[in-house]
Amino acid sequence: MASPVDNEGNIFETLRKRVDPKAQEEKTRAASEREQAQYEKTQRRLAELIETNSTLPCTISSIRVLNAVHTRRNFLERIFNPLLSANQDRPYTLAEAIRQVSIGADKLHKFDIFHEPISLFIDQPSRTDPLTTPTDIDVYLSVREKSRILLKTGTDVGNAEGSAYGNLQWRNVFGGAETLNLNASLGTRTRSAYQAGFETPFLSDPNFRGEVGGLASSTQKTWSSHEEVLKGGWVKLRWIAGGSGGRHEVGYNGIWRQITGLASNASPTVRGDAGDSVKSSITHTWVNDRRDNPLLPSRGYYAKTNLEVAGWGPLQGDVAFCKSEIEGQGAVPIPIPGIPGDSGVSFTSGIRAGLLYPLSLGLDQKPRPSRLNDRFQLGGPADVRGFRLSGLGPRDGADAVGGDIYAAGSVNLLVPLPRLGAQKPIRMQAFINGGRLLALKNPGEQESQDGQSLNKRVYSTVAELGNGLPTLSAGLGLVYAHPIARMELNFSFPLVLRKGEEGRKGLSFGIGINML
């Protein structure tokens, strides 16, 4: 018979033994498989029960959301009270009741204040209650609220800039899925940027939201020999159209801008636009994104339009224009013989175009010429690769002064890296991209400056876009789809370069959310 001392020795010997990582991994995997099998068995049983009783009539007598301690009761009632049978014309079937409650639970997901999953339980009310009927059911939704305060700090490097940032997000501020965002960043090019925004849903609808906010920033624009200071605010309204109608946003912006800090060699164009200006504008943005992955798409399409009208009618300010942009992208997977399923190889193409149309300000009949602050800039690792930032388009000396009309496009072939496979968010890419950026032609000395003359100049400038080859570049690189942004490391080679434009042969690093 073993003594207690011997048993203690065996225990210590067991503890001293090193755990075999492979054996431990096998045990963990086996436990996970058993848990998954039990879960799947439970789900099948539940599905069988629902299918067997799916046509049974039922009435929803109550819906309770459990553990939503920081969420207002009336906010939840707007979502679930319309589902109660007391507010319905006819009783549900069990399948209909579960479907309608699931739609309400999906709304809770979209507010981004609860963790997934949201559990749904169904019970029968107490039979001792004289007000209940045999078909009554009580529905319970068990939720787990996300942390209300989220603080993030970090650094960013990309697009010829390094910066440090901090972000404070306060969720569910007043118990109605409101969000307060505070952002601050300091960098080498964007010297300082501060932004605050408060967003709230209307009528407990996650697809209908409003936002108010303000900003203050100072950005060094070395390609134009100046610094731009911005201070202002906005009001926005967002909604999602039914079906495949996409997302809409309308807003008002009031921004005070200042071109300051001119370099000693700043061009006459930059010096002419230096000083203060006020932009008062209304905007509309429409987005329809059907891509399987916005940062690394392999199938689907993306479309976006943006319209901004400034200084027209009662808007005032001291700039007046109508600025419109369109953008589109398509992606198709390429099957590879011998590779079952998704090969990870895809072909994408994208296009962007924009027009800045000058308008008259107030009672003035003469259209106002565009300012440096408002013109388009083109070129850089985030749009037309193979060129320096703002390397395309009109220049005055060494300064990029922007243009009023542009078009750009790109075609990309994405291939998974060997041994990593299609599931990893990293690809090799080969691309050809290009574009043109033009300024509106100035009126001649004998030419009037009315609307008819302006239209002729716009038409002739648009026609000039198709005159000859666009500025082009090609290259190879690596693409990594980080959960926050897309990162690219490319080797580019300019193929077509116009006089004054600045190409960039060699390696470049770009980071962005929606790259060409």
Side-chain angles (χ1 to χ4, degrees), residues 77-117:
E77 286 177 346
R78 286 197 188 99
I79 300 173
F80 293 108
N81 274 3
L83 305 183
L84 298 178
S85 293
N87 300 319
Q88 298 291 321
D89 297 331
R90 63 176 183 83
Y92 293 107
T93 64
L94 181 60
E96 289 174 340
I98 293 175
R99 183 166 56 250
Q100 292 301 316
V101 174
S102 297
I103 292 173
D106 185 57
K107 284 187 176 182
L108 294 184
H109 279 304
K110 292 179 179 179
F111 289 120
D112 194 34
I113 58 176
F114 300 113
H115 287 285
E116 295 187 21

Side-chain angles (χ1 to χ4, degrees), residues 71-72 75-80 103-116 118 146-147 169-173 175-179 199-209:
T71 306
R72 295 197 313 267
F75 174 78
L76 297 171
E77 286 177 346
R78 286 197 188 99
I79 300 173
F80 293 108
I103 292 173
D106 185 57
K107 284 187 176 182
L108 294 184
H109 279 304
K110 292 179 179 179
F111 289 120
D112 194 34
I113 58 176
F114 300 113
H115 287 285
E116 295 187 21
I118 294 178
K146 290 185 177 181
S147 174
Q169 184 183 68
W170 184 3
R171 294 191 186 102
N172 212 13
V173 179
E178 306 89 357
T179 303
E199 184 182 62
T200 180
F202 292 119
L203 303 176
S204 300
D205 186 349
N207 297 329
F208 188 36
R209 298 172 181 260

Side-chain angles (χ1 to χ4, degrees), residues 218-376:
S218 174
T219 305
Q220 188 72 31
K221 298 190 173 182
T222 55
W223 58 87
S224 296
S225 303
H226 72 273
E227 180 180 349
E228 183 178 39
V229 177
L230 303 177
K231 292 181 181 179
W234 67 83
V235 179
K236 296 178 181 179
L237 186 65
R238 303 186 183 97
W239 72 93
I240 298 178
S244 59
R247 302 191 304 272
H248 293 265
E249 177 184 287
V250 295
Y252 169 79
N253 300 286
I255 307 292
W256 169 78
R257 298 99 54 86
Q258 184 182 58
I259 292 180
T260 184
L262 272 60
S264 59
N265 61 342
S267 65
T269 301
V270 175
R271 294 183 182 278
D273 283 342
D276 299 346
S277 68
V278 176
K279 182 177 74 170
S280 174
S281 67
I282 54 175
T283 61
H284 174 263
T285 302
W286 170 80
V287 177
N288 194 358
D289 193 348
R290 300 294 171 180
R291 297 171 295 183
D292 58 343
N293 184 334
L295 298 177
L296 199 65
S298 62
R299 53 175 52 84
Y301 67 90
Y302 169 83
K304 178 181 179 180
T305 64
N306 187 68
L307 179 67
E308 180 179 20
V309 178
W312 179 73
L315 291 174
Q316 296 303 308
D318 58 12
V319 293
F321 58 82
C322 177
K323 190 176 184 179
S324 59
E325 286 186 271
I326 60 171
E327 183 177 350
Q329 186 185 64
V332 293
I334 300 177
I336 303 297
I339 300 179
D342 191 353
S343 67
V345 180
S346 62
F347 177 81
T348 64
S349 62
I351 187 171
R352 295 177 185 170
L355 167 66
L356 193 155
Y357 188 93
L359 299 176
S360 57
L361 184 64
L363 299 177
D364 189 0
Q365 298 300 314
K366 188 170 23 176
R368 288 289 182 98
S370 60
R371 291 178 57 92
L372 181 61
N373 317 60
D374 303 310
R375 298 188 196 115
F376 299 110

Side-chain angles (χ1 to χ4, degrees), residues 387-443:
F387 298 90
R388 297 191 181 276
L389 285 171
S390 302
L392 277 69
R395 309 187 76 81
D396 187 354
D399 292 332
V401 295
D404 303 296
I405 297 176
Y406 83 95
S410 177
V411 291
N412 306 61
L413 179 66
L414 299 172
V415 181
L417 288 175
R419 298 186 180 182
L420 292 183
Q423 303 306 317
K424 298 295 183 180
I426 186 168
R427 297 287 188 274
M428 294 186 296
Q429 79 164 346
F431 64 86
I432 298 177
N433 60 192
R436 291 201 67 183
L437 174 64
L438 302 173
L440 283 180
K441 295 181 178 180
N442 293 322

